[in-house]
């Protein structure tokens, strides 16, 4: 009897421990300002995208010149019957090329976007694939991902397939076709003309698509049941019960869909790497074609922006499998944050500099070019060196390139590097990423331009920087600032995750490596 009672008590205790464990794993505080912050982001971000497009344009200037003289903007001419507000609105509509609400979207842009997604899916199906296992899920088991290769590999052998990836081969096919089209038709290649003619409408289509996708996967996440055989699970911090917050942060961790003739698609990894990332490069190329069409040459500044951003994107696609260990894959659900970030935000706002240079062709000269390239390459070396070091160490600690590095053996089983790149700062990879981003913005120099009608050649327009220098900095240097905020915020989130996971071992690491991102500074 006593034994029976003891057994029951033990079982009760075990159940209690299990429940507490489950609660603990779900005990995440609000991020991004909670429900209010996520409400502002969810409904405010599209306006930021539109503000960039309209306030920095190829109709009147970057920024629209009237913005620099607000007193005049609200002062209608003497005999005008319009109110100051009406006058300001009319002026801004004229200077921004505002097409009217009804023309923010059109059938061509919707079809073009569908074709782009269809093309990405087609390549996903047609190109040779390899099955790779993801990291271990909280509920046990691992999901499988279709990447490139010839033989089956496990997560532990990821380094072996980091040599080649399917997303990368998709990019090569797509960029190869773009090159062929440009070779034959030059800047009049229909893809470039289409993008430059329908850019605003493409942006709107992609914004709506992000809302649609986020809503669909939010609703579908309620069908996730505990212990299901397909390893569907909710993101640890994504099911607080607050609709606004959960919609933004993402409820389901790894939503997957089965598309007829395509098969199963892992939505998060697909969206993260394929249409948006590659879309960024394709938009950049379209802007380069626009510059060539308008001026008959391509500037060194445009080449730097295209080269450094393509390097960053192709690197990410080449290292496709490395995405499996990122925060986005392991921790965040697929909600509005990732849908909006991947679909409209990344391609349309990260390509701001190329769009700016398409209209205002900045010529840097060899010294500026060398200096900017040096910053970019230094950033890339830190970014790639540190990420590789961690990947190799985590997949094969005996590899000669990392075998000499010092580390802390944590109680959880993982090892934390304390020398090499990861001994300099706890997120030294973010420093490299950020430095690289300087080479995106610096080519625009002290940006700002105005378009005026040419007196000598009626019908054509001249680009001048008179009175505009420096005023477009909030646009062309936006990425630098935004990315710094994103990385600092991301570092805090990761730090919190590691503190929770490693406890005292993390404290030891922090004591040994006190800097977060910039050695000796932060
Ligand atoms: P990281 O690659 O920085 O990995 C962080 C994880 O690495 C930690 O959670 C921990 O995971 C492990 N780790 C931490 N310290 C150590 C150590 N000393 N030794 C070994 N392992 C350690 O994660 P991210 O997903 O944030 O970044 C991946 C890359 O993507 C970065 O280079 C980043 O700059 C880039 N990025 C780019 C963005 C863009 O918009 N361009 C957006 C976001 C990221 P574990 O639990 O396994 O120990």
């Amino acid at each position: 009897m006593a034994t029976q009672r003891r057994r029951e008590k033990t079982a009760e205790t075990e159940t209690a421990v299990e429940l507490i464990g489950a609660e603990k794993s779900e005990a995440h505080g609000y991020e991004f300002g909670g429900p209010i912050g996520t409400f502002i982001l969810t409904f405010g971000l599209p306006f930021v995208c539109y503000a960039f497009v309209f306030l920095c344009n190829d109709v009147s200037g970057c920024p629209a010149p009237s913005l620099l003289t607000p007193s005049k903007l609200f002062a209608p001419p003497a005999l005008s019957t319009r109110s100051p507000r009406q006058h300001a609105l009319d002026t801004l509509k004229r200077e921004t090329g505002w097409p009217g609400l009804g023309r923010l979207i059109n059938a061509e842009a919707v079809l073009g976007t569908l074709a782009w997604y269809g093309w990405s899916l087609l390549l996903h199906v047609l190109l040779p694939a390899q099955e790779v296992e993801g990291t271990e899920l909280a509920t046990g088991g691992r999901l499988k991902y279709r990447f490139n290769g010839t033989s089956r590999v496990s997560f532990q052998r990821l380094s072996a397939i980091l040599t080649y990836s399917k997303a990368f081969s998709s990019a090569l096919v797509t960029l190869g076709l773009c090159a062929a089209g440009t070779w034959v038709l030059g800047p009049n290649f229909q893809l470039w003309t289409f993008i430059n003619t329908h850019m605003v409408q493409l942006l709107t289509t992609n914004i709506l698509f992000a809302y649609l996708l986020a809503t669909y996967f939010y609703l579908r996440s309620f069908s996730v049941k505990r212990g299901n055989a397909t390893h569907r699970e909710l993101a640890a911090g994504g099911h607080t019960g607050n609709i606004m917050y959960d919609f933004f942060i993402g409820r389901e961790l790894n939503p997957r869909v089965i598309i007829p003739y395509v098969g199963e698609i892992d939505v998060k990894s697909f969206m993260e790497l394929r249409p948006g990332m590659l879309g960024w490069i394709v938009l950049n190329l379209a802007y380069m074609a626009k510059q060539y069409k308008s001026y008959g040459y391509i500037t060194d500044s445009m080449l730097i922006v295209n080269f450094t951003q393509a390097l960053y994107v192709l690197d990410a696609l080449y290292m496709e499998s490395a995405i499996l260990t990122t925060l986005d894959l392991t921790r965040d659900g697929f909600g509005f944050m990732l849908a909006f970030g991947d679909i409209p935000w990344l391609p349309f706002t990260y390509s701001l500099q190329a769009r700016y240079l398409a209209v205002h062709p900045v010529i840097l000269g060899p010294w500026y070019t060398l200096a900017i390239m040096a910053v970019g390459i230094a950033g890339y070396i830190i970014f790639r060196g540190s990420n590789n070091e961690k990947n190799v160490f985590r997949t094969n600690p005996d590899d000669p390139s990392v075998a000499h590095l010092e580390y802390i053996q944590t109680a959880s089983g993982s090892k934390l590097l304390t020398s090499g790149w990861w001994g300099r700062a706890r997120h030294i990879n973010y420093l490299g990423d950020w430095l690289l981003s300087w080479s995106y913005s610096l080519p625009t120099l002290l940006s700002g331009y105005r378009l005026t009608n040419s007196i000598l050649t009626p019908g054509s327009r001249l680009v001048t920087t008179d009175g505009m220098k420096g005023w477009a900095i909030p646009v062309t240097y936006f990425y630098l600032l935004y990315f710094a905020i994103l990385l600092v915020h991301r570092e805090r989130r990761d730090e919190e995750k590691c503190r929770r996971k490693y406890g005292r071992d993390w404290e030891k690491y922090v004591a040994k490596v006190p800097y977060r991102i910039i050695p000796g500074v932060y």
Side-chain angles (χ1 to χ4, degrees):
M1 189 70 176
T3 323
Q4 170 78 7
R5 216 175 296 134
R6 218 178 302 130
R7 256 196 227 128
E8 274 170 14
K9 199 153 173 82
T10 315
E12 265 172 35
T13 318
E14 274 170 8
T15 314
V17 169
E18 258 177 46
L19 283 174
I20 292 165
E23 272 165 22
K24 262 192 180 167
S25 71
E26 288 161 16
H28 285 254
Y30 280 142
E31 295 175 296
F32 296 95
I36 295 176
T38 52
F39 174 84
I40 294 170
L41 288 170
T42 302
F43 297 104
L45 284 174
F47 290 100
V48 178
C49 293
Y50 283 124
F52 284 134
V53 168
F54 288 115
L55 299 181
C56 180
N57 60 64
D58 60 358
V59 177
S60 62
C62 183
S66 294
L67 290 177
L68 303 188
T69 49
S71 53
K72 282 194 199 156
L73 183 62
F74 285 91
L79 296 176
S80 170
T81 52
R82 286 176 303 172
S83 69
R85 201 174 135 266
Q86 190 58 46
H87 174 72
L89 262 179
D90 289 346
T91 308
L92 280 179
K93 278 183 184 172
R94 197 181 59 249
E95 288 195 357
T96 55
W98 173 249
L101 265 184
R103 293 205 182 132
L104 285 180
I105 189 163
N106 59 21
E108 289 93 326
V110 174
L111 289 175
T113 305
L114 288 176
W116 178 240
Y117 280 86
W119 171 248
S120 302
L121 287 171
L122 189 72
L123 292 179
H124 179 78
V125 179
L126 292 185
L127 293 172
Q130 185 174 45
E131 226 169 42
V132 179
E133 285 188 338
T135 54
E136 185 150 8
L137 298 162
T139 49
R142 294 171 191 266
L143 286 170
K144 292 190 169 64
Y145 294 79
R146 251 171 75 88
F147 291 151
N148 184 75
T150 50
S151 66
R152 193 189 146 91
V153 264
S154 68
F155 177 67
Q156 285 71 22
R157 289 178 56 217
L158 262 184
S159 63
I161 62 149
L162 292 182
T163 48
Y164 190 59
S165 95
K166 196 176 177 200
F168 185 67
S169 49
S170 296
L172 290 186
V173 172
T174 308
L175 296 178
L177 287 175
C178 291
T182 313
W183 180 264
V184 178
L185 298 161
N188 294 321
F189 177 41
Q190 284 85 349
L191 179 61
W192 308 143
T193 325
F194 181 81
I195 290 172
N196 283 310
T197 316
H198 299 286
M199 202 267 290
V200 172
Q201 292 76 15
L202 286 169
L203 170 65
T204 309
T205 311
N206 281 279
I207 288 175
L208 293 179
F209 188 42
Y211 278 110
L212 202 74
L213 224 59
T215 308
Y216 174 74
F217 286 109
Y218 173 76
L219 294 175
R220 210 188 72 151
S221 70
F222 287 94
S223 63
V224 175
K225 299 275 176 285
R226 266 176 199 266
N228 63 81
T230 50
H231 297 308
R232 287 182 70 193
E233 65 178 43
L234 297 180
H239 49 116
T240 61
N242 183 290
I243 297 177
M244 186 67 252
Y245 184 80
D246 293 349
F247 172 79
F248 178 85
I249 213 87
R251 278 192 103 241
E252 186 169 351
L253 186 63
N254 297 299
R256 291 178 164 218
V257 284
I258 295 177
I259 302 177
Y261 305 111
V262 171
E264 189 178 63
I265 295 286
D266 179 79
V267 180
K268 211 164 34 162
S269 62
F270 183 82
M271 286 298 167
E272 190 113 321
L273 287 175
R274 307 299 179 88
M277 281 284 236
L278 194 53
W280 174 13
I281 296 307
V282 172
L283 285 181
N284 274 352
L285 291 172
Y287 299 139
M288 184 151 78
K290 180 175 172 171
Q291 188 189 62
Y292 186 76
K293 196 170 170 173
S294 308
Y295 297 98
Y297 56 83
I298 295 169
T299 57
D300 41 15
S301 53
M302 179 62 99
L303 287 174
I304 294 182
V305 167
N306 266 270
F307 173 77
T308 50
Q309 297 191 348
L311 176 72
Y312 185 63
V313 169
L314 292 176
D315 175 281
L317 301 182
Y318 191 73
M319 300 285 174
E320 184 177 26
S321 327
I323 194 184
L324 296 178
T325 53
T326 60
L327 276 181
D328 296 358
L329 265 271
T330 55
R331 187 181 148 164
D332 296 328
F334 186 75
F336 184 78
M337 176 175 77
L338 287 183
F340 194 82
D342 294 342
I343 299 169
W345 181 260
L346 188 146
F348 288 91
T349 60
Y350 287 22
S351 58
L352 280 177
Q353 293 87 4
R355 194 166 65 76
Y356 172 90
L357 293 169
V359 187
H360 180 222
V362 174
I363 296 170
L364 298 169
W367 293 114
Y368 271 131
T369 301
L370 278 177
I372 297 173
M373 284 303 289
V375 174
I377 287 169
Y380 182 74
I381 290 172
I382 299 174
F383 164 76
R384 182 45 44 225
S386 55
N387 282 327
N388 266 3
E389 190 178 73
K390 177 157 70 77
N391 275 338
V392 174
F393 179 75
R394 279 292 174 89
T395 46
N396 178 17
D398 298 327
D399 188 286
S401 64
V402 293
H404 62 285
L405 295 176
E406 292 166 22
Y407 60 86
I408 294 174
Q409 175 65 61
T410 68
S412 80
S414 306
K415 292 171 178 153
L416 293 172
L417 284 165
T418 53
S419 70
W421 286 113
W422 297 83
R424 294 189 170 92
R426 302 199 294 279
H427 266 101
I428 190 81
N429 53 343
Y430 289 0
L431 173 65
D433 217 336
W434 192 58
L435 271 183
L436 185 56
S437 74
W438 278 82
S439 64
Y440 309 162
S441 297
L442 286 174
T444 61
L445 295 179
L446 286 177
S447 38
Y449 64 79
R450 178 198 299 265
L451 291 162
T452 54
N453 289 327
S454 164
I455 302 167
L456 293 177
T457 329
S460 68
R461 286 175 305 162
L462 297 175
V463 180
T464 166
T465 53
D466 286 351
M468 301 297 283
K469 259 190 189 162
W471 288 104
I473 282 178
V475 177
T476 58
Y477 287 74
F478 167 78
Y479 184 77
L480 260 185
L481 179 68
Y482 150 81
F483 203 40
I485 296 169
L486 179 145
L487 292 176
V488 167
H489 182 246
R490 197 174 171 93
E491 189 276 333
R492 300 264 162 176
R493 295 178 78 209
D494 193 47
E495 177 91 2
E496 186 215 308
K497 177 213 112 176
C498 290
R499 231 171 247 285
R500 199 181 305 134
K501 179 173 174 183
Y502 295 118
R504 285 229 177 118
D505 290 322
W506 189 256
E507 302 297 338
K508 273 193 231 162
Y509 178 43
V510 172
K512 234 176 160 186
V513 184
Y515 295 105
R516 290 171 183 272
I517 297 177
I518 310 176
V521 180
Y522 174 75

